[in-house]
Amino acid sequence: MTRSDYAEKIPNNVGLAEDRRLQRALESWQPDFLSWWESMGPTLPTQDVYLRTAIDVRGEGWAQFGHVPMIDYRWGIFLADKNPDRRIAFGAHMGEPAWQKVPGEYRAELQRLIVIQGDTEPASVEQQRNLGATAPSLYDLRNLFQVNVEEGRHLWAMVYLLHAYFGREGREEAGELLHRNSGSEDSPRILGAFNEETPDWLSFYMFTYFTDRDGKYQLGTLKESAFDPLSRTCEFMLKEEAHHMMVGTTGVDRVVERTAQVMVENDTDEVAAHGAIPLPVIQKYLNFHYSVSLDLFGGETSTNVANYYTAGLKGRWLEERRKDDHQLTDDSIMVDALIDGDISQTEVMALTGLNTDLRREYIADCAGGVKRWNRILADAGLPQRLYLPHIAFNRRVGAFAGIEASPSGEQLTASEWEARKGQWLPTDTDKTFVRSLMQPVYQRGKIAAWVAPPRNGINGQPFDYDYVHLA
Ligand SMILES: [Fe+2]
Ligand SMILES: [Fe+2]
């Protein structure tokens, strides 16, 4: 097992020092990454931030915490430990040893999967770059930057694979990952949700809840990959990703908690005048982020994804816990479909319905968040509840892309949708209001009025810790 080399220019546990060519290639990509970070990363000037840095992949000691200038963050390459006996768990190659090299026949597909995953990582940094200017507390500011540096590290993870296993084409793709930009007219990011802006902190919490969670499920399928270096990379990324989920989950918790508090204290639903975010506005943000994240899973059926599965490139969520033959050649699945213009379902081969399978796992997970937010409302003695909108609501990808539906799944004509969508999606008025609340709070231990403080600080530190030193 290669130990972590933290003293190197590029910290890594992949034995980079023994592969001069690769090391040189990555060291020449590094300045491009840093200049991308400087020009497209966080805009708020800071001296240092209390950050977690990955230094190893094992046990408790995998990360260290300390105040570091962000540009000096040690973006490294860390793969989970190799299991020399690992065997492919599904598809046509099931039972064969996992691949340590890229099989020529699957090269193009694997490269594509890695590029798509890699593209989302810097995209979210770009989307979130201006949020520091309106952070509700130093604690939140630190969490934002933590998410940002780790998405940067996830880019490194994918770039490592491209450089190490995909030759010249891989190096070119690694360069492109820094040239596409979120929301750019000429060279946008590959996936739609990653070209939306994240203009305020409610959006940020919703993004880290719903869109980072999509990332968790995508990584989960790649973790099953027969291509072992990809599997091990994703396994370790998932470890970091857990913190991003926590930021989203508890972020929305705290917004709901504060709103509920203000509702109860003032005995009113009209909390905007009291500087809190009204529940219907929270619901609209939820509707938006959930529906655009559902689109990230692609169409209900996909022969590409069926082929990826059969080839062993991409598995199912928790593949090894599934109690079936892991081939799926004889199975079927009901998928959402538009039948004679109606929202319905149809039976397809399980293999072609794999996007649906993954989307359903994701939806079940999202329901958990809604449940906890509703518990906060219930505990405050309030009758209102949040909900996940219908799967056909506001979709731009898949079976329902061509129709409009209300959050309860009622089909609408285009003109009905136009007339009513402002009830369900954030309007300009809603966004302007939310933005008006986004005044920065940079004093230690203080917090903006629209969000409750967290229950716990970071790494055992109190809420009023000096998480960030501004420049
Ligand atoms: Fe990530
Ligand atoms: Fe993330």
Side-chain angles (χ1 to χ4, degrees), residues 109-305:
E109 287 85 354
L110 272 172
Q111 183 177 305
R112 185 73 190 148
L113 287 170
I114 291 167
V115 166
I116 291 173
Q117 181 60 41
D119 194 67
T120 65
E121 312 287 354
S124 64
V125 176
E126 294 165 353
Q127 289 171 290
Q128 296 160 13
R129 64 190 305 246
N130 294 317
L131 287 173
T134 55
S137 72
L138 290 181
Y139 162 88
D140 288 283
L141 186 59
R142 177 263 167 215
N143 286 347
L144 167 71
F145 292 151
Q146 183 71 58
V147 170
N148 292 162
V149 293
E150 285 176 352
E151 300 305 7
R153 207 201 67 72
H154 295 172
L155 171 61
W156 270 95
M158 294 298 118
V159 163
Y160 161 72
L161 294 176
L162 289 170
H163 273 258
Y165 297 97
F166 295 90
R168 189 173 52 81
E169 267 184 61
R171 288 194 295 277
E172 283 168 11
E173 289 287 6
E176 286 305 308
L177 288 171
L178 297 174
H179 294 140
R180 280 185 295 272
N181 291 136
S182 178
S184 158
E185 290 276 310
D186 320 323
S187 57
R189 292 295 175 182
I190 297 170
L191 300 171
F194 291 89
N195 287 302
E196 302 281 350
E197 49 177 344
T198 311
D200 58 68
W201 281 76
L202 180 56
S203 299
F204 175 63
Y205 297 145
M206 291 292 179
F207 184 96
T208 41
Y209 188 83
F210 289 107
T211 309
D212 271 290
R213 190 170 308 273
D214 155 73
K216 168 182 157 184
Y217 281 81
Q218 302 301 339
L219 290 175
T221 65
L222 296 175
K223 190 183 84 118
E224 304 294 339
S225 181
F227 179 41
D228 201 44
L230 175 61
S231 163
R232 291 165 55 212
T233 300
C234 291
E235 184 176 341
F236 186 61
M237 288 163 76
L238 279 165
K239 200 162 179 160
E240 290 171 315
E241 221 37 76
H243 174 71
H244 310 182
M245 311 282 109
M246 187 284 284
V247 168
T249 308
T250 59
V252 180
D253 279 359
R254 292 159 51 211
V255 176
V256 172
E257 183 184 334
R258 180 61 188 149
T259 296
Q261 223 170 48
V262 174
M263 286 169 77
V264 170
E265 273 170 25
N266 298 281
D267 193 20
T268 177
D269 299 350
E270 314 288 325
V271 296
H274 302 276
I277 304 177
L279 278 181
V281 175
I282 297 174
Q283 179 68 56
K284 288 183 192 183
Y285 273 67
L286 186 164
N287 290 347
F288 173 76
H289 286 274
Y290 175 68
S291 54
V292 301
S293 299
L294 288 181
D295 279 347
L296 289 170
F297 292 84
E300 283 68 21
T301 59
S302 165
T303 44
N304 274 345
V305 174

Side-chain angles (χ1 to χ4, degrees), residues 160 311 315 352 408 431 439:
Y160 161 72
T352 49
S408 59
K431 292 184 205 168
Q439 303 301 326

Side-chain angles (χ1 to χ4, degrees), residues 20 34 105 129 383 463:
R20 284 293 175 206
L34 291 172
E105 60 201 298
R129 64 190 305 246
F463 171 64

